[in-house]
Amino acid sequence: MTGLIVTVTMLGDWHIGSGAGRHGLVDRGVQRDADDLPYIPAKTLAGVWRDGCEAAAHALDTGTPGPWHAWVKYLFGSQPALEARGVLPSAGDGAPRPAALQIDSLHYPPAAVAALRGPERHGLRAAAVFLKPGVAVDPRTGRVEEGMLRFEEVARGGVRLVGRAALTGFEDLDAHRRGCAAALLAAGARLVESLGGKRRRGAGRCRIDFTGVDVDLGLLGEPNPPLPPR
């Protein structure tokens, strides 16, 4: 198992919702960790990272499923439900493939967490999030609906969140295949511009970086890259 350190720099304010609010005050709350600070759940990061890698694979395979799509499946696992519906190409063997990439959730750096612990630091922890007003728009008229003023929590940008990831079986690959996997992960990370809610409206701008493996983006230009192991 090969370990990675993953860093997400939030370049703008962001929202990863908890699915709940506080009656009379907040309609949509931000997910918080055990230290009462906003964080990025592993599932959220894995989803956007996979999307970035799929976009890269689509370009590298010139729009048809090819070796780079196979590397996406190797890294992030198969999606049997989507394959059954025809949204993704099926492997044909009927066996789901586990993900080689295992991602932990990302949190404020340990030094920052230590500095913000304790009841006397509650105000500083609370300042990591602010309330943002919003309204509901009638889809038929395009006008603001009366009585629909809403407030949602938004985490402040300008912070770095860190966590760990691991590539299972990576050390068993030959050097060429390790290079292809790392290059695709790097390309996918560069294609992720935002995460969280309302990212298509400008929220959640970010940059993903990782260390722990050597990256040679020149491998992405190979006409016949090797396939991952079955």
PDB file of all heavy atoms in Angstrom, residues 9-40:
ATOM      1  N   THR A   9      -6.764  23.167  -1.359  1.00  0.00           N
ATOM      2  CA  THR A   9      -6.748  24.592  -1.026  1.00  0.00           C
ATOM      3  C   THR A   9      -8.055  25.202  -1.494  1.00  0.00           C
ATOM      4  O   THR A   9      -8.360  25.183  -2.696  1.00  0.00           O
ATOM      5  CB  THR A   9      -5.569  25.299  -1.703  1.00  0.00           C
ATOM      6  OG1 THR A   9      -4.352  24.657  -1.331  1.00  0.00           O
ATOM      7  CG2 THR A   9      -5.508  26.772  -1.286  1.00  0.00           C
ATOM      8  N   MET A  10      -8.842  25.710  -0.561  1.00  0.00           N
ATOM      9  CA  MET A  10     -10.120  26.325  -0.915  1.00  0.00           C
ATOM     10  C   MET A  10      -9.856  27.776  -1.302  1.00  0.00           C
ATOM     11  O   MET A  10      -9.523  28.615  -0.459  1.00  0.00           O
ATOM     12  CB  MET A  10     -11.097  26.238   0.246  1.00  0.00           C
ATOM     13  CG  MET A  10     -11.442  24.825   0.680  1.00  0.00           C
ATOM     14  SD  MET A  10     -12.010  23.740  -0.666  1.00  0.00           S
ATOM     15  CE  MET A  10     -13.353  24.692  -1.368  1.00  0.00           C
ATOM     16  N   LEU A  11     -10.019  28.061  -2.575  1.00  0.00           N
ATOM     17  CA  LEU A  11      -9.741  29.398  -3.102  1.00  0.00           C
ATOM     18  C   LEU A  11     -10.925  30.339  -2.936  1.00  0.00           C
ATOM     19  O   LEU A  11     -10.782  31.564  -3.080  1.00  0.00           O
ATOM     20  CB  LEU A  11      -9.369  29.292  -4.586  1.00  0.00           C
ATOM     21  CG  LEU A  11      -8.190  28.368  -4.897  1.00  0.00           C
ATOM     22  CD1 LEU A  11      -8.023  28.219  -6.402  1.00  0.00           C
ATOM     23  CD2 LEU A  11      -6.915  28.907  -4.273  1.00  0.00           C
ATOM     24  N   GLY A  12     -12.079  29.783  -2.670  1.00  0.00           N
ATOM     25  CA  GLY A  12     -13.276  30.594  -2.457  1.00  0.00           C
ATOM     26  C   GLY A  12     -14.114  30.005  -1.345  1.00  0.00           C
ATOM     27  O   GLY A  12     -13.823  28.924  -0.819  1.00  0.00           O
ATOM     28  N   ASP A  13     -15.158  30.715  -0.946  1.00  0.00           N
ATOM     29  CA  ASP A  13     -16.069  30.220   0.075  1.00  0.00           C
ATOM     30  C   ASP A  13     -16.766  28.955  -0.438  1.00  0.00           C
ATOM     31  O   ASP A  13     -16.986  28.793  -1.643  1.00  0.00           O
ATOM     32  CB  ASP A  13     -17.098  31.283   0.425  1.00  0.00           C
ATOM     33  CG  ASP A  13     -16.445  32.563   0.963  1.00  0.00           C
ATOM     34  OD1 ASP A  13     -15.351  32.462   1.551  1.00  0.00           O
ATOM     35  OD2 ASP A  13     -17.018  33.647   0.772  1.00  0.00           O
ATOM     36  N   TRP A  14     -17.134  28.045   0.481  1.00  0.00           N
ATOM     37  CA  TRP A  14     -17.631  26.743   0.058  1.00  0.00           C
ATOM     38  C   TRP A  14     -18.688  26.214   1.011  1.00  0.00           C
ATOM     39  O   TRP A  14     -18.814  26.676   2.155  1.00  0.00           O
ATOM     40  CB  TRP A  14     -16.482  25.733  -0.058  1.00  0.00           C
ATOM     41  CG  TRP A  14     -15.566  25.681   1.141  1.00  0.00           C
ATOM     42  CD1 TRP A  14     -14.709  26.666   1.557  1.00  0.00           C
ATOM     43  CD2 TRP A  14     -15.429  24.614   2.087  1.00  0.00           C
ATOM     44  NE1 TRP A  14     -14.044  26.262   2.694  1.00  0.00           N
ATOM     45  CE2 TRP A  14     -14.447  25.015   3.028  1.00  0.00           C
ATOM     46  CE3 TRP A  14     -16.001  23.354   2.181  1.00  0.00           C
ATOM     47  CZ2 TRP A  14     -14.053  24.201   4.085  1.00  0.00           C
ATOM     48  CZ3 TRP A  14     -15.619  22.533   3.231  1.00  0.00           C
ATOM     49  CH2 TRP A  14     -14.652  22.956   4.169  1.00  0.00           C
ATOM     50  N   HIS A  15     -19.463  25.276   0.493  1.00  0.00           N
ATOM     51  CA  HIS A  15     -20.540  24.701   1.293  1.00  0.00           C
ATOM     52  C   HIS A  15     -20.655  23.210   1.001  1.00  0.00           C
ATOM     53  O   HIS A  15     -20.920  22.812  -0.132  1.00  0.00           O
ATOM     54  CB  HIS A  15     -21.877  25.387   0.968  1.00  0.00           C
ATOM     55  CG  HIS A  15     -23.051  24.784   1.688  1.00  0.00           C
ATOM     56  ND1 HIS A  15     -23.526  25.280   2.883  1.00  0.00           N
ATOM     57  CD2 HIS A  15     -23.838  23.711   1.391  1.00  0.00           C
ATOM     58  CE1 HIS A  15     -24.561  24.542   3.282  1.00  0.00           C
ATOM     59  NE2 HIS A  15     -24.765  23.591   2.389  1.00  0.00           N
ATOM     60  N   ILE A  16     -20.420  22.402   2.009  1.00  0.00           N
ATOM     61  CA  ILE A  16     -20.720  20.972   1.959  1.00  0.00           C
ATOM     62  C   ILE A  16     -21.751  20.739   3.050  1.00  0.00           C
ATOM     63  O   ILE A  16     -21.448  20.831   4.241  1.00  0.00           O
ATOM     64  CB  ILE A  16     -19.467  20.106   2.172  1.00  0.00           C
ATOM     65  CG1 ILE A  16     -18.470  20.355   1.038  1.00  0.00           C
ATOM     66  CG2 ILE A  16     -19.843  18.626   2.233  1.00  0.00           C
ATOM     67  CD1 ILE A  16     -17.168  19.610   1.186  1.00  0.00           C
ATOM     68  N   GLY A  17     -22.976  20.501   2.641  1.00  0.00           N
ATOM     69  CA  GLY A  17     -24.086  20.531   3.571  1.00  0.00           C
ATOM     70  C   GLY A  17     -24.181  19.337   4.495  1.00  0.00           C
ATOM     71  O   GLY A  17     -23.785  18.216   4.142  1.00  0.00           O
ATOM     72  N   SER A  18     -24.719  19.594   5.666  1.00  0.00           N
ATOM     73  CA  SER A  18     -24.949  18.543   6.652  1.00  0.00           C
ATOM     74  C   SER A  18     -26.290  17.868   6.446  1.00  0.00           C
ATOM     75  O   SER A  18     -26.576  16.837   7.070  1.00  0.00           O
ATOM     76  CB  SER A  18     -24.890  19.131   8.061  1.00  0.00           C
ATOM     77  OG  SER A  18     -25.941  20.074   8.250  1.00  0.00           O
ATOM     78  N   GLY A  19     -27.143  18.460   5.599  1.00  0.00           N
ATOM     79  CA  GLY A  19     -28.475  17.920   5.396  1.00  0.00           C
ATOM     80  C   GLY A  19     -29.479  18.391   6.436  1.00  0.00           C
ATOM     81  O   GLY A  19     -30.622  17.944   6.442  1.00  0.00           O
ATOM     82  N   ALA A  20     -29.058  19.276   7.306  1.00  0.00           N
ATOM     83  CA  ALA A  20     -29.947  19.782   8.357  1.00  0.00           C
ATOM     84  C   ALA A  20     -29.633  21.244   8.625  1.00  0.00           C
ATOM     85  O   ALA A  20     -28.601  21.773   8.220  1.00  0.00           O
ATOM     86  CB  ALA A  20     -29.787  18.958   9.639  1.00  0.00           C
ATOM     87  N   GLY A  21     -30.560  21.895   9.305  1.00  0.00           N
ATOM     88  CA  GLY A  21     -30.363  23.287   9.697  1.00  0.00           C
ATOM     89  C   GLY A  21     -30.722  23.472  11.154  1.00  0.00           C
ATOM     90  O   GLY A  21     -30.839  22.501  11.904  1.00  0.00           O
ATOM     91  N   ARG A  22     -30.878  24.732  11.533  1.00  0.00           N
ATOM     92  CA  ARG A  22     -31.318  25.046  12.898  1.00  0.00           C
ATOM     93  C   ARG A  22     -32.569  25.884  12.781  1.00  0.00           C
ATOM     94  O   ARG A  22     -32.565  26.971  12.179  1.00  0.00           O
ATOM     95  CB  ARG A  22     -30.216  25.785  13.669  1.00  0.00           C
ATOM     96  CG  ARG A  22     -28.963  24.960  13.863  1.00  0.00           C
ATOM     97  CD  ARG A  22     -28.058  25.539  14.941  1.00  0.00           C
ATOM     98  NE  ARG A  22     -27.550  26.853  14.579  1.00  0.00           N
ATOM     99  CZ  ARG A  22     -26.475  27.074  13.820  1.00  0.00           C
ATOM    100  NH1 ARG A  22     -25.816  26.049  13.305  1.00  0.00           N
ATOM    101  NH2 ARG A  22     -26.068  28.299  13.549  1.00  0.00           N
ATOM    102  N   HIS A  23     -33.650  25.400  13.348  1.00  0.00           N
ATOM    103  CA  HIS A  23     -34.960  26.010  13.170  1.00  0.00           C
ATOM    104  C   HIS A  23     -34.941  27.493  13.551  1.00  0.00           C
ATOM    105  O   HIS A  23     -34.467  27.866  14.627  1.00  0.00           O
ATOM    106  CB  HIS A  23     -36.007  25.283  14.023  1.00  0.00           C
ATOM    107  CG  HIS A  23     -37.386  25.837  13.868  1.00  0.00           C
ATOM    108  ND1 HIS A  23     -38.108  25.721  12.703  1.00  0.00           N
ATOM    109  CD2 HIS A  23     -38.161  26.543  14.741  1.00  0.00           C
ATOM    110  CE1 HIS A  23     -39.282  26.310  12.853  1.00  0.00           C
ATOM    111  NE2 HIS A  23     -39.340  26.818  14.086  1.00  0.00           N
ATOM    112  N   GLY A  24     -35.425  28.297  12.620  1.00  0.00           N
ATOM    113  CA  GLY A  24     -35.527  29.728  12.868  1.00  0.00           C
ATOM    114  C   GLY A  24     -34.252  30.493  12.666  1.00  0.00           C
ATOM    115  O   GLY A  24     -34.230  31.714  12.820  1.00  0.00           O
ATOM    116  N   LEU A  25     -33.165  29.793  12.307  1.00  0.00           N
ATOM    117  CA  LEU A  25     -31.889  30.500  12.156  1.00  0.00           C
ATOM    118  C   LEU A  25     -31.178  30.106  10.872  1.00  0.00           C
ATOM    119  O   LEU A  25     -30.812  30.957  10.056  1.00  0.00           O
ATOM    120  CB  LEU A  25     -30.976  30.207  13.358  1.00  0.00           C
ATOM    121  CG  LEU A  25     -29.593  30.884  13.336  1.00  0.00           C
ATOM    122  CD1 LEU A  25     -29.749  32.398  13.330  1.00  0.00           C
ATOM    123  CD2 LEU A  25     -28.754  30.450  14.527  1.00  0.00           C
ATOM    124  N   VAL A  26     -30.966  28.813  10.657  1.00  0.00           N
ATOM    125  CA  VAL A  26     -30.203  28.340   9.501  1.00  0.00           C
ATOM    126  C   VAL A  26     -31.015  27.280   8.771  1.00  0.00           C
ATOM    127  O   VAL A  26     -31.488  26.324   9.387  1.00  0.00           O
ATOM    128  CB  VAL A  26     -28.843  27.745   9.930  1.00  0.00           C
ATOM    129  CG1 VAL A  26     -28.076  27.237   8.711  1.00  0.00           C
ATOM    130  CG2 VAL A  26     -28.025  28.777  10.679  1.00  0.00           C
ATOM    131  N   ASP A  27     -31.166  27.455   7.463  1.00  0.00           N
ATOM    132  CA  ASP A  27     -31.884  26.474   6.666  1.00  0.00           C
ATOM    133  C   ASP A  27     -30.978  25.329   6.225  1.00  0.00           C
ATOM    134  O   ASP A  27     -31.421  24.186   6.119  1.00  0.00           O
ATOM    135  CB  ASP A  27     -32.503  27.153   5.436  1.00  0.00           C
ATOM    136  CG  ASP A  27     -33.571  28.165   5.829  1.00  0.00           C
ATOM    137  OD1 ASP A  27     -34.690  27.745   6.140  1.00  0.00           O
ATOM    138  OD2 ASP A  27     -33.280  29.376   5.841  1.00  0.00           O
ATOM    139  N   ARG A  28     -29.720  25.647   5.911  1.00  0.00           N
ATOM    140  CA  ARG A  28     -28.782  24.626   5.443  1.00  0.00           C
ATOM    141  C   ARG A  28     -27.465  24.797   6.186  1.00  0.00           C
ATOM    142  O   ARG A  28     -26.797  25.813   6.047  1.00  0.00           O
ATOM    143  CB  ARG A  28     -28.557  24.737   3.926  1.00  0.00           C
ATOM    144  CG  ARG A  28     -29.799  24.507   3.090  1.00  0.00           C
ATOM    145  CD  ARG A  28     -29.484  24.692   1.615  1.00  0.00           C
ATOM    146  NE  ARG A  28     -28.530  23.704   1.145  1.00  0.00           N
ATOM    147  CZ  ARG A  28     -27.700  23.916   0.138  1.00  0.00           C
ATOM    148  NH1 ARG A  28     -27.655  25.087  -0.448  1.00  0.00           N
ATOM    149  NH2 ARG A  28     -26.888  22.958  -0.252  1.00  0.00           N
ATOM    150  N   GLY A  29     -27.116  23.802   6.987  1.00  0.00           N
ATOM    151  CA  GLY A  29     -25.886  23.868   7.766  1.00  0.00           C
ATOM    152  C   GLY A  29     -24.714  23.256   7.029  1.00  0.00           C
ATOM    153  O   GLY A  29     -24.863  22.485   6.083  1.00  0.00           O
ATOM    154  N   VAL A  30     -23.511  23.608   7.484  1.00  0.00           N
ATOM    155  CA  VAL A  30     -22.270  23.060   6.938  1.00  0.00           C
ATOM    156  C   VAL A  30     -21.859  21.832   7.745  1.00  0.00           C
ATOM    157  O   VAL A  30     -22.019  21.811   8.974  1.00  0.00           O
ATOM    158  CB  VAL A  30     -21.156  24.135   6.985  1.00  0.00           C
ATOM    159  CG1 VAL A  30     -19.783  23.525   6.847  1.00  0.00           C
ATOM    160  CG2 VAL A  30     -21.377  25.175   5.893  1.00  0.00           C
ATOM    161  N   GLN A  31     -21.333  20.817   7.084  1.00  0.00           N
ATOM    162  CA  GLN A  31     -20.809  19.658   7.809  1.00  0.00           C
ATOM    163  C   GLN A  31     -19.603  20.073   8.636  1.00  0.00           C
ATOM    164  O   GLN A  31     -18.718  20.770   8.139  1.00  0.00           O
ATOM    165  CB  GLN A  31     -20.401  18.549   6.836  1.00  0.00           C
ATOM    166  CG  GLN A  31     -21.574  17.753   6.291  1.00  0.00           C
ATOM    167  CD  GLN A  31     -21.161  16.383   5.822  1.00  0.00           C
ATOM    168  OE1 GLN A  31     -20.387  15.695   6.493  1.00  0.00           O
ATOM    169  NE2 GLN A  31     -21.674  15.959   4.684  1.00  0.00           N
ATOM    170  N   ARG A  32     -19.562  19.626   9.883  1.00  0.00           N
ATOM    171  CA  ARG A  32     -18.455  19.911  10.789  1.00  0.00           C
ATOM    172  C   ARG A  32     -17.899  18.601  11.337  1.00  0.00           C
ATOM    173  O   ARG A  32     -18.625  17.623  11.490  1.00  0.00           O
ATOM    174  CB  ARG A  32     -18.913  20.798  11.942  1.00  0.00           C
ATOM    175  CG  ARG A  32     -19.230  22.248  11.557  1.00  0.00           C
ATOM    176  CD  ARG A  32     -19.773  22.971  12.772  1.00  0.00           C
ATOM    177  NE  ARG A  32     -19.823  24.413  12.617  1.00  0.00           N
ATOM    178  CZ  ARG A  32     -20.809  25.066  12.024  1.00  0.00           C
ATOM    179  NH1 ARG A  32     -21.827  24.391  11.524  1.00  0.00           N
ATOM    180  NH2 ARG A  32     -20.789  26.381  11.933  1.00  0.00           N
ATOM    181  N   ASP A  33     -16.609  18.631  11.673  1.00  0.00           N
ATOM    182  CA  ASP A  33     -15.979  17.440  12.224  1.00  0.00           C
ATOM    183  C   ASP A  33     -16.041  17.461  13.750  1.00  0.00           C
ATOM    184  O   ASP A  33     -16.727  18.297  14.355  1.00  0.00           O
ATOM    185  CB  ASP A  33     -14.538  17.309  11.710  1.00  0.00           C
ATOM    186  CG  ASP A  33     -13.670  18.511  12.085  1.00  0.00           C
ATOM    187  OD1 ASP A  33     -14.042  19.281  13.003  1.00  0.00           O
ATOM    188  OD2 ASP A  33     -12.602  18.683  11.459  1.00  0.00           O
ATOM    189  N   ALA A  34     -15.323  16.556  14.394  1.00  0.00           N
ATOM    190  CA  ALA A  34     -15.348  16.450  15.852  1.00  0.00           C
ATOM    191  C   ALA A  34     -14.773  17.687  16.526  1.00  0.00           C
ATOM    192  O   ALA A  34     -15.038  17.924  17.713  1.00  0.00           O
ATOM    193  CB  ALA A  34     -14.568  15.212  16.285  1.00  0.00           C
ATOM    194  N   ASP A  35     -13.981  18.479  15.804  1.00  0.00           N
ATOM    195  CA  ASP A  35     -13.429  19.723  16.353  1.00  0.00           C
ATOM    196  C   ASP A  35     -14.292  20.928  16.031  1.00  0.00           C
ATOM    197  O   ASP A  35     -13.864  22.069  16.221  1.00  0.00           O
ATOM    198  CB  ASP A  35     -12.007  19.940  15.814  1.00  0.00           C
ATOM    199  CG  ASP A  35     -11.041  18.885  16.321  1.00  0.00           C
ATOM    200  OD1 ASP A  35     -10.825  18.829  17.545  1.00  0.00           O
ATOM    201  OD2 ASP A  35     -10.522  18.102  15.494  1.00  0.00           O
ATOM    202  N   ASP A  36     -15.504  20.686  15.512  1.00  0.00           N
ATOM    203  CA  ASP A  36     -16.464  21.748  15.187  1.00  0.00           C
ATOM    204  C   ASP A  36     -15.960  22.654  14.059  1.00  0.00           C
ATOM    205  O   ASP A  36     -16.274  23.839  14.034  1.00  0.00           O
ATOM    206  CB  ASP A  36     -16.796  22.579  16.436  1.00  0.00           C
ATOM    207  CG  ASP A  36     -18.134  23.305  16.301  1.00  0.00           C
ATOM    208  OD1 ASP A  36     -19.009  22.785  15.588  1.00  0.00           O
ATOM    209  OD2 ASP A  36     -18.282  24.396  16.890  1.00  0.00           O
ATOM    210  N   LEU A  37     -15.189  22.092  13.148  1.00  0.00           N
ATOM    211  CA  LEU A  37     -14.665  22.845  12.010  1.00  0.00           C
ATOM    212  C   LEU A  37     -15.172  22.229  10.710  1.00  0.00           C
ATOM    213  O   LEU A  37     -15.380  21.013  10.629  1.00  0.00           O
ATOM    214  CB  LEU A  37     -13.135  22.836  12.016  1.00  0.00           C
ATOM    215  CG  LEU A  37     -12.463  23.593  13.164  1.00  0.00           C
ATOM    216  CD1 LEU A  37     -10.982  23.261  13.226  1.00  0.00           C
ATOM    217  CD2 LEU A  37     -12.674  25.097  13.018  1.00  0.00           C
ATOM    218  N   PRO A  38     -15.365  23.038   9.672  1.00  0.00           N
ATOM    219  CA  PRO A  38     -15.773  22.480   8.382  1.00  0.00           C
ATOM    220  C   PRO A  38     -14.722  21.514   7.847  1.00  0.00           C
ATOM    221  O   PRO A  38     -13.526  21.702   8.091  1.00  0.00           O
ATOM    222  CB  PRO A  38     -15.891  23.716   7.475  1.00  0.00           C
ATOM    223  CG  PRO A  38     -15.862  24.893   8.375  1.00  0.00           C
ATOM    224  CD  PRO A  38     -15.168  24.500   9.625  1.00  0.00           C
ATOM    225  N   TYR A  39     -15.160  20.512   7.115  1.00  0.00           N
ATOM    226  CA  TYR A  39     -14.218  19.545   6.555  1.00  0.00           C
ATOM    227  C   TYR A  39     -14.763  19.026   5.232  1.00  0.00           C
ATOM    228  O   TYR A  39     -15.918  19.302   4.856  1.00  0.00           O
ATOM    229  CB  TYR A  39     -13.954  18.401   7.527  1.00  0.00           C
ATOM    230  CG  TYR A  39     -15.075  17.380   7.632  1.00  0.00           C
ATOM    231  CD1 TYR A  39     -14.951  16.122   7.024  1.00  0.00           C
ATOM    232  CD2 TYR A  39     -16.249  17.656   8.327  1.00  0.00           C
ATOM    233  CE1 TYR A  39     -15.963  15.178   7.122  1.00  0.00           C
ATOM    234  CE2 TYR A  39     -17.259  16.725   8.426  1.00  0.00           C
ATOM    235  CZ  TYR A  39     -17.116  15.497   7.819  1.00  0.00           C
ATOM    236  OH  TYR A  39     -18.119  14.581   7.903  1.00  0.00           O
ATOM    237  N   ILE A  40     -13.920  18.278   4.509  1.00  0.00           N
ATOM    238  CA  ILE A  40     -14.322  17.696   3.228  1.00  0.00           C
ATOM    239  C   ILE A  40     -14.457  16.186   3.420  1.00  0.00           C
ATOM    240  O   ILE A  40     -13.453  15.495   3.652  1.00  0.00           O
ATOM    241  CB  ILE A  40     -13.284  17.990   2.132  1.00  0.00           C
ATOM    242  CG1 ILE A  40     -13.109  19.505   1.960  1.00  0.00           C
ATOM    243  CG2 ILE A  40     -13.705  17.343   0.804  1.00  0.00           C
ATOM    244  CD1 ILE A  40     -11.992  19.875   0.998  1.00  0.00           C
TER     245      ILE A  40
END
